[in-house]
Amino acid sequence: MPDARGSTPSPWIVQWAGLIPPGATVLDVAAGSGRHALFLAERGHKVTAVDRDIDRLPRHPAIEAIKADLEEGHPWPLPGRFFGAVVVTNYLHRPLMPTLLAALPPGGVLLYETFMVGNERFGKPSRPDFLLKDGELLELVRGTFSVVAYEARLISEPRMAMVQHIAARRL
Ligand SMILES: C[S@@+](CC[C@H](N)C(=O)[O-])C[C@H]1O[C@@H](n2cnc3c(N)ncnc32)[C@H](O)[C@@H]1O
């Protein structure tokens, strides 16, 4: 999937980062260039950033870089680890979802934002595998999380795209 937002943190993550308890650990999944890992490290969190390509991650004392393929049947690289928050942006691999939610104990915060159905009108990603279905993030957390904020909307910056995003806390 192309990185739609460059190196600026997503406004959604910036807006809801305050939900993460001060000093809580954060897991940044498919962290890419580490824009959120760095943003959250600078807010005082210890961040574990996982990606198959960790060369673009910033070197920072509060960022632990884990190189791992999260797909194709590879084992989850962080078994038994729990985090105060899980952050996922512009990445979707549905078989991983239960593992990501299981890494959050009660009170743990999920911040998730990625492309949704309708995005194919504007470009990539356009494959259904990479696009959330209508209401999919709400369905994902129903009954096990308290939803603080959710939106499905068209964004125009940095380019036109259909996205869904959620901020939720584990019950
Ligand atoms: C569009 S980028 C998003 C990066 C970051 N979350 C952001 O929003 O800036 C998608 C990321 O997923 C990572 N990725 C894709 N497939 C992966 C896989 N099978 N295992 C681990 N990381 C993967 C890519 O390396 C890339 O960094």
Side-chain angles (χ1 to χ4, degrees), residues 128-142:
D129 280 358
F130 294 154
L131 299 179
L132 290 164
K133 296 174 194 148
D134 197 20
E136 188 170 350
L137 287 180
L138 280 178
E139 274 306 308
L140 178 71
V141 302
R142 189 181 302 280

Side-chain angles (χ1 to χ4, degrees), residues 1-8 10 28-36 50-53 56 68-72 74 87-91 93 113 115:
M1 247 191 259
D3 186 341
R5 292 182 187 267
S7 59
T8 309
S10 154
D28 185 1
V29 179
S33 65
R35 60 188 175 132
H36 298 125
V50 185
D51 203 291
R52 66 182 171 191
D53 172 12
R56 292 181 298 142
D69 192 327
L70 300 170
E71 301 176 18
E72 311 286 345
H74 287 92
V87 172
V88 193
T89 58
N90 296 355
Y91 179 75
H93 180 59
E113 173 180 69
F115 303 95

Side-chain angles (χ1 to χ4, degrees), residues 19-149:
L19 275 186
I20 306 172
T25 56
V26 178
L27 173 63
D28 185 1
V29 179
S33 65
R35 60 188 175 132
H36 298 125
L38 187 59
F39 169 70
L40 293 163
E42 289 180 345
R43 285 179 66 96
H45 298 286
K46 286 208 160 112
V47 182
T48 299
V50 185
D51 203 291
R52 66 182 171 191
D53 172 12
I54 57 171
D55 294 346
R56 292 181 298 142
L57 282 174
R59 286 174 205 277
H60 187 288
I63 299 178
E64 173 193 25
I66 307 277
K67 183 178 174 67
D69 192 327
L70 300 170
E71 301 176 18
E72 311 286 345
H74 287 92
W76 174 238
L78 301 162
R81 295 261 310 260
F82 291 91
F83 298 88
V86 170
V87 172
V88 193
T89 58
N90 296 355
Y91 179 75
L92 180 62
H93 180 59
R94 289 186 172 89
L96 196 60
M97 296 286 213
T99 303
L100 301 183
L101 299 192
L104 287 169
V109 171
L110 176 69
L111 301 180
Y112 204 136
E113 173 180 69
T114 197
F115 303 95
M116 69 174 289
V117 65
N119 192 65
E120 61 276 15
R121 279 180 287 154
F122 304 109
K124 292 196 172 178
S126 56
R127 277 178 43 188
D129 280 358
F130 294 154
L131 299 179
L132 290 164
K133 296 174 194 148
D134 197 20
E136 188 170 350
L137 287 180
L138 280 178
E139 274 306 308
L140 178 71
V141 302
R142 189 181 302 280
T144 49
F145 283 72
S146 163
V147 175
V148 179

